[in-house]
Amino acid sequence: MQVSEEVRRFLADQAFAVVAVNLDLGSGEEVVVLVKTRRDVAEALRAARAPVETGWVVESTAHGPVVCWLVRCEASDAGELVGEVYLDPADPSDLALLESLARQDRVRVGFLDEDLEPAWVAELAWGEVRRLEAEQVRDRAEELLERAEAYDFEGAKEAFQERYSLDALVTRVFPAASTVSITRDSSASR
Protein backbone atom coordinates (compact mmCIF):
# COMPACT_ATOMS: atom_id res chain seq x y z
CA MET A 1 0.00 0.00 0.00
CA GLN A 2 1.85 3.07 -1.29
CA VAL A 3 0.61 6.01 0.76
CA SER A 4 2.01 9.49 0.07
CA GLU A 5 4.58 10.84 2.49
CA GLU A 6 2.23 13.69 3.48
CA VAL A 7 -0.54 11.24 4.46
CA ARG A 8 1.97 8.97 6.24
CA ARG A 9 3.22 11.91 8.32
CA PHE A 10 -0.33 12.91 9.21
CA LEU A 11 -1.28 9.35 10.20
CA ALA A 12 1.95 8.84 12.16
CA ASP A 13 1.01 11.79 14.41
CA GLN A 14 -2.44 10.37 15.24
CA ALA A 15 -3.48 7.55 17.55
CA PHE A 16 -6.69 7.18 15.51
CA ALA A 17 -7.54 8.73 12.15
CA VAL A 18 -9.74 8.22 9.13
CA VAL A 19 -8.82 9.67 5.72
CA ALA A 20 -9.96 9.16 2.14
CA VAL A 21 -7.21 9.08 -0.48
CA ASN A 22 -6.60 7.98 -4.04
CA LEU A 23 -4.46 4.83 -4.10
CA ASP A 24 -3.55 2.10 -6.55
CA LEU A 25 -4.01 -1.23 -4.79
CA GLY A 26 -3.31 -3.19 -7.97
CA SER A 27 -6.39 -2.39 -10.07
CA GLY A 28 -5.71 1.23 -10.93
CA GLU A 29 -6.26 4.35 -8.87
CA GLU A 30 -9.36 4.36 -6.68
CA VAL A 31 -10.68 6.09 -3.57
CA VAL A 32 -9.62 4.15 -0.49
CA VAL A 33 -10.54 4.91 3.10
CA LEU A 34 -7.62 4.49 5.49
CA VAL A 35 -8.34 3.92 9.16
CA LYS A 36 -5.42 4.11 11.56
CA THR A 37 -6.12 2.23 14.75
CA ARG A 38 -4.52 -0.30 17.03
CA ARG A 39 -3.70 -3.64 15.40
CA ASP A 40 -5.63 -5.58 18.06
CA VAL A 41 -8.77 -3.55 17.32
CA ALA A 42 -8.51 -4.10 13.54
CA GLU A 43 -7.80 -7.81 13.98
CA ALA A 44 -10.72 -8.26 16.40
CA LEU A 45 -13.11 -6.56 13.96
CA ARG A 46 -11.76 -8.64 11.06
CA ALA A 47 -12.04 -11.89 13.07
CA ALA A 48 -15.63 -10.98 13.99
CA ARG A 49 -16.38 -10.31 10.31
CA ALA A 50 -17.64 -6.89 11.33
CA PRO A 51 -19.35 -5.11 8.46
CA VAL A 52 -17.99 -1.72 7.44
CA GLU A 53 -20.65 0.90 6.73
CA THR A 54 -20.45 4.43 5.43
CA GLY A 55 -22.91 7.30 5.27
CA TRP A 56 -22.99 10.99 4.38
CA VAL A 57 -24.06 14.23 5.99
CA VAL A 58 -24.01 17.41 3.90
CA GLU A 59 -25.04 20.48 5.80
CA SER A 60 -24.70 24.25 5.83
CA THR A 61 -23.13 26.13 8.73
CA ALA A 62 -22.49 29.83 9.34
CA HIS A 63 -19.02 29.26 7.86
CA GLY A 64 -20.21 27.39 4.77
CA PRO A 65 -20.99 23.80 3.87
CA VAL A 66 -19.70 20.64 5.50
CA VAL A 67 -19.34 17.27 3.80
CA CYS A 68 -18.92 14.54 6.41
CA TRP A 69 -18.38 10.92 5.36
CA LEU A 70 -18.96 8.70 8.38
CA VAL A 71 -17.29 5.28 8.57
CA ARG A 72 -18.49 2.68 11.07
CA CYS A 73 -17.41 -0.87 11.81
CA GLU A 74 -19.05 -2.81 14.63
CA ALA A 75 -19.41 -6.33 15.96
CA SER A 76 -20.98 -7.16 19.32
CA ASP A 77 -18.01 -9.23 20.47
CA ALA A 78 -15.32 -6.91 19.03
CA GLY A 79 -16.62 -3.41 19.73
CA GLU A 80 -17.29 -0.40 17.55
CA LEU A 81 -15.03 1.87 15.57
CA VAL A 82 -16.39 5.13 14.14
CA GLY A 83 -14.64 7.98 12.38
CA GLU A 84 -15.34 10.87 10.06
CA VAL A 85 -13.75 12.14 6.88
CA TYR A 86 -14.39 15.80 6.07
CA LEU A 87 -14.24 16.83 2.43
CA ASP A 88 -13.76 20.44 1.40
CA PRO A 89 -16.20 21.35 -1.42
CA ALA A 90 -13.87 24.22 -2.44
CA ASP A 91 -10.89 21.86 -2.86
CA PRO A 92 -10.60 20.38 -6.38
CA SER A 93 -8.90 17.24 -5.06
CA ASP A 94 -11.77 16.57 -2.63
CA LEU A 95 -14.31 17.13 -5.41
CA ALA A 96 -12.31 14.68 -7.54
CA LEU A 97 -12.65 12.09 -4.75
CA LEU A 98 -16.42 12.51 -4.88
CA GLU A 99 -16.34 12.20 -8.68
CA SER A 100 -14.34 8.98 -8.39
CA LEU A 101 -16.80 7.61 -5.84
CA ALA A 102 -19.58 8.28 -8.36
CA ARG A 103 -17.82 5.87 -10.78
CA GLN A 104 -16.35 3.13 -8.58
CA ASP A 105 -17.97 -0.26 -8.13
CA ARG A 106 -16.36 -0.86 -4.73
CA VAL A 107 -14.69 1.04 -1.92
CA ARG A 108 -11.86 -0.52 0.02
CA VAL A 109 -11.26 0.34 3.64
CA GLY A 110 -7.69 -0.26 4.76
CA PHE A 111 -7.11 -0.61 8.49
CA LEU A 112 -3.56 0.38 9.39
CA ASP A 113 -1.86 -0.40 12.68
CA GLU A 114 0.27 1.82 14.88
CA ASP A 115 3.25 1.34 12.53
CA LEU A 116 1.07 2.14 9.48
CA GLU A 117 1.21 -1.48 8.36
CA PRO A 118 -1.96 -2.99 6.86
CA ALA A 119 -3.90 -5.04 9.40
CA TRP A 120 -7.04 -5.62 7.31
CA VAL A 121 -8.53 -4.46 4.03
CA ALA A 122 -12.32 -4.64 3.84
CA GLU A 123 -14.22 -4.19 0.61
CA LEU A 124 -17.60 -2.49 0.36
CA ALA A 125 -19.91 -3.05 -2.58
CA TRP A 126 -20.48 0.34 -4.15
CA GLY A 127 -23.46 -0.14 -6.39
CA GLU A 128 -25.58 2.21 -8.41
CA VAL A 129 -27.34 3.71 -5.38
CA ARG A 130 -24.05 4.45 -3.61
CA ARG A 131 -22.57 5.99 -6.78
CA LEU A 132 -25.66 8.17 -7.21
CA GLU A 133 -25.43 9.15 -3.55
CA ALA A 134 -21.81 10.32 -4.00
CA GLU A 135 -22.87 12.34 -7.04
CA GLN A 136 -25.70 13.95 -5.08
CA VAL A 137 -23.37 14.74 -2.17
CA ARG A 138 -21.07 16.60 -4.56
CA ASP A 139 -23.95 18.48 -6.20
CA ARG A 140 -25.46 19.49 -2.84
CA ALA A 141 -22.09 20.61 -1.44
CA GLU A 142 -21.42 22.74 -4.53
CA GLU A 143 -24.90 24.28 -4.29
CA LEU A 144 -24.39 25.14 -0.61
CA LEU A 145 -20.94 26.57 -1.38
CA GLU A 146 -22.42 28.84 -4.07
CA ARG A 147 -24.99 30.13 -1.57
CA ALA A 148 -22.48 30.72 1.24
CA GLU A 149 -21.70 34.36 1.90
CA ALA A 150 -18.23 33.43 3.13
CA TYR A 151 -16.48 30.09 3.36
CA ASP A 152 -14.03 28.79 5.94
CA PHE A 153 -13.47 25.01 5.80
CA GLU A 154 -12.00 24.72 9.31
CA GLY A 155 -14.65 27.02 10.78
CA ALA A 156 -17.43 25.05 9.08
CA LYS A 157 -16.02 21.76 10.36
CA GLU A 158 -15.71 23.11 13.91
CA ALA A 159 -19.25 24.52 13.86
CA PHE A 160 -20.58 21.19 12.58
CA GLN A 161 -18.72 19.24 15.28
CA GLU A 162 -20.05 21.59 17.97
CA ARG A 163 -23.58 21.05 16.68
CA TYR A 164 -23.34 17.24 16.43
CA SER A 165 -21.61 14.85 18.77
CA LEU A 166 -20.25 11.71 17.18
CA ASP A 167 -23.01 9.75 18.93
CA ALA A 168 -25.62 12.03 17.32
CA LEU A 169 -24.02 11.59 13.89
CA VAL A 170 -24.04 7.80 14.24
CA THR A 171 -27.69 7.87 15.25
CA ARG A 172 -28.52 10.14 12.32
CA VAL A 173 -26.59 8.20 9.67
CA PHE A 174 -27.06 4.67 11.06
CA PRO A 175 -30.40 4.80 12.92
CA ALA A 176 -30.30 1.11 13.85
CA ALA A 177 -26.88 1.47 15.50
CA SER A 178 -26.67 1.38 19.26
CA THR A 179 -23.63 3.34 20.34
CA VAL A 180 -22.02 3.76 23.69
CA SER A 181 -20.35 7.11 24.29
CA ILE A 182 -18.03 7.55 21.32
CA THR A 183 -15.29 10.14 21.67
CA ARG A 184 -14.28 12.29 18.72
CA ASP A 185 -10.68 13.26 18.17
CA SER A 186 -11.26 16.27 15.95
CA SER A 187 -7.57 16.60 15.16
CA ALA A 188 -7.68 13.19 13.51
CA SER A 189 -10.37 14.10 10.98
CA ARG A 190 -9.37 15.41 7.62
Side-chain angles (χ1 to χ4, degrees):
M1 195 176 292
Q2 296 295 323
V3 179
S4 76
E5 198 53 42
E6 176 186 8
V7 172
R8 288 186 77 74
R9 280 192 305 271
F10 171 77
L11 292 173
D13 290 342
Q14 309 299 322
F16 173 78
V18 180
V19 296
V21 295
N22 281 310
L23 290 178
D24 186 344
L25 298 179
S27 304
E29 197 166 272
E30 62 187 292
V31 176
V32 176
V33 176
L34 297 177
V35 178
K36 182 188 176 193
T37 189
R38 294 189 338 252
R39 178 168 282 278
D40 63 326
V41 171
E43 288 177 346
L45 291 167
R46 181 186 70 210
R49 298 177 189 225
V52 179
E53 305 173 279
T54 67
W56 298 97
V57 177
V58 181
E59 194 163 303
S60 186
T61 73
H63 300 279
V66 168
V67 177
C68 176
W69 193 17
L70 205 60
V71 179
R72 178 178 180 266
C73 185
E74 189 266 337
S76 59
D77 54 342
E80 180 179 47
L81 184 144
V82 177
E84 320 120 283
V85 176
Y86 289 93
L87 301 174
D88 181 350
D91 183 334
S93 64
D94 283 358
L95 290 177
L97 284 174
L98 288 169
E99 285 177 15
S100 293
L101 288 169
R103 294 187 308 268
Q104 290 183 199
D105 60 0
R106 68 174 175 215
V107 171
R108 295 186 207 194
V109 180
F111 293 83
L112 305 177
D113 68 12
E114 302 89 339
D115 298 319
L116 303 183
E117 293 298 321
W120 175 34
V121 177
E123 192 170 297
L124 307 177
W126 202 254
E128 181 72 25
V129 171
R130 299 310 306 261
R131 289 190 295 271
L132 182 58
E133 188 178 59
E135 189 176 304
Q136 290 174 339
V137 164
R138 179 195 162 116
D139 291 348
R140 180 70 174 144
E142 287 182 316
E143 175 190 341
L144 291 174
L145 185 60
E146 287 174 7
R147 290 187 197 172
E149 292 179 24
Y151 179 60
D152 170 20
F153 175 64
E154 290 301 323
K157 187 169 73 169
E158 287 175 26
F160 180 78
Q161 289 177 337
E162 286 175 11
R163 187 181 308 160
Y164 297 104
S165 69
L166 196 51
D167 284 337
L169 281 176
V170 169
T171 300
R172 179 176 172 179
V173 175
F174 310 110
S178 61
T179 57
V180 180
S181 189
I182 303 165
T183 304
R184 169 190 281 131
D185 178 357
S186 62
S187 66
S189 302
R190 182 182 178 315

